[in-house]
Amino acid sequence: MSKLPDFEGLAMFAKVVEERSFAAAARTMDVSVATVSRAVGRLEERLGARLFNRTSRQLALTEFGRTIAESATRIYHDAEQVEGIARELSVQPRGLIKLAVPMSFGLKWVAPILPDFLSAYPNVSIDLHLSDATVDLVGDGFDAALRIAVLPDSSLVARKLCPVSRLIVAAPAYLEKHGRPQHPGDLDPKHCLGYAYRARNDVWRLMNKEGKHETIVPDGRLRVTNSDAMIPAILAGLAVAELPDFIASEFLSDGRLETILTDWFMEEGGLYFVTPSARSRPAKVEVLARFFADRLSNPKWISAKAGY
């Protein structure tokens, strides 16, 4: 015998008690009379006592049946209440969203727009986890994440919101001292700053319009786990770095940084809204997905590219 209680049998027993008829209970639950009869019979066998005295015209609870009827009815109504709450949560945006976002992107582009989301959905709360390390959405219990990658994780469901370009940048002071490189081979790797969380090792893979490929392995004296930490060293003219356009745009627009090796480019990545599964996604996650799609599909840093 299973150690798990026979919830179906208890529920159908409670419904028969409420309706005072096997046939009426079957109609209410949209099942056959035989299904109800088998469930009650199975419960009687499990409990070792009869629940009803049945004749062709009358159905009456036994003393044993009356003893457990109230508890069975409470279990049935509790289950109905749980299902009702679950249906409401799946339809109405409500509850806590645990969201993972890369730190620099989250601080600059996500945190400023979250007040609009929270105002629009007063019954939704967000637990914002900011880190450049890739989190395990399923293992760490996250509802969703924003990820910046060349390709999304194939084990998850990913929706691309917008492209993200990677640019090699330097300050005017660096270019004045070392000259403007025309070819990747002109760059000294010891002048290139490294990023610790690169998905496929920290290698700059460049290609030009002719299809030629070159690689640079950064070997500078500073290696970081967050791209913003590179900025002071770059602005001081100590090194060059590869930055995503959503960070670089601010410094390129006012001339504090310049793009170099403009005839070469890196594979374009994207900003993705990622969830563990698209099936039965709760309403709170659906409205967040639509909000990010609306606000981040054509962000300011992309419209500013024409001025680089």
Side-chain angles (χ1 to χ4, degrees):
M1 178 187 298
S2 170
K3 293 183 180 180
L4 185 69
D6 186 355
F7 292 109
E8 182 185 59
L10 288 167
M12 291 193 174
F13 164 63
K15 204 62 181 174
V16 173
V17 173
E18 183 179 311
E19 299 290 341
R20 300 181 181 182
S21 163
F22 275 72
R27 284 195 299 272
T28 302
M29 294 184 289
D30 196 23
V31 296
S32 69
V33 175
T35 297
V36 178
S37 182
R38 283 195 300 270
V40 173
R42 184 178 68 243
L43 183 63
E44 289 178 326
E45 183 177 351
R46 181 186 179 96
L47 299 177
R50 292 183 63 81
L51 298 169
F52 295 105
N53 288 319
R54 282 168 278 190
T55 67
S56 58
R57 295 185 177 183
Q58 191 175 10
L59 178 69
L61 283 166
T62 64
E63 184 65 29
F64 178 73
R66 281 194 294 272
T67 301
I68 71 167
E70 183 178 348
S71 295
T73 300
R74 185 168 59 251
I75 291 170
Y76 178 80
H77 289 310
D78 285 348
E80 280 189 319
Q81 185 177 17
V82 169
E83 285 196 350
I85 292 171
R87 281 194 294 269
E88 182 181 353
L89 288 174
S90 67
V91 174
Q92 298 295 327
R94 183 185 303 273
L96 175 68
I97 301 174
K98 192 175 179 184
L99 175 68
V101 180
M103 183 172 289
S104 294
F105 186 82
L107 290 172
K108 186 168 181 62
W109 298 103
V110 177
I113 65 175
L114 283 184
D116 292 344
F117 176 82
L118 296 173
S119 296
Y121 301 99
N123 294 318
V124 178
S125 302
I126 291 182
D127 183 349
L128 181 62
H129 177 91
L130 294 173
S131 174
D132 286 347
T134 301
V135 300
D136 179 354
L137 260 65
V138 176
D140 294 332
F142 284 93
D143 298 292
L146 289 174
R147 285 192 176 168
I148 297 165
V150 173
L151 291 174
D153 187 334
S154 60
S155 66
L156 303 171
V157 177
R159 174 181 179 179
K160 187 174 182 179
L161 301 178
C162 68
V164 174
S165 299
R166 297 159 60 195
L167 309 169
I168 299 180
V169 298
Y174 177 90
L175 299 176
E176 183 178 345
K177 181 176 180 179
H178 299 282
R180 183 178 297 273
Q182 302 300 316
H183 185 276
D186 297 337
L187 269 181
D188 184 347
K190 293 188 180 299
H191 292 174
C192 302
L193 302 187
Y195 178 64
Y197 286 139
R198 184 78 62 226
R200 293 180 295 177
N201 299 320
D202 192 15
V203 179
W204 302 354
R205 296 178 172 84
L206 298 102
M207 183 173 65
N208 65 10
K209 294 179 180 179
E210 287 72 42
K212 295 181 179 179
H213 293 261
E214 296 286 343
T215 61
I216 300 171
V217 180
D219 191 27
R221 291 185 293 148
L222 178 65
R223 184 172 170 81
V224 302
T225 59
N226 177 265
S227 295
D228 275 328
M230 297 180 180
I231 299 298
I234 308 170
L235 293 177
L238 299 178
V240 303
E242 173 263 304
L243 291 177
D245 51 3
F246 62 81
I247 292 178
S249 60
E250 172 188 351
F251 303 96
L252 295 170
S253 63
D254 62 15
R256 284 181 289 171
L257 293 179
E258 299 179 27
T259 55
I260 59 175
L261 299 177
T262 53
D263 290 335
W264 297 79
F265 57 92
M266 295 184 175
E267 186 177 3
E268 185 175 80
L271 172 66
Y272 294 89
F273 183 78
V274 182
T275 55
S277 173
R279 183 188 302 176
S280 301
R281 206 156 63 180
K284 61 183 181 181
V285 177
E286 287 290 351
V287 294
L288 183 63
R290 290 198 293 269
F291 176 80
F292 282 148
D294 178 60
R295 299 295 289 271
L296 296 176
S297 290
N298 187 30
K300 293 180 180 179
W301 78 80
I302 291 181
S303 60
K305 280 185 181 180
Y308 289 179

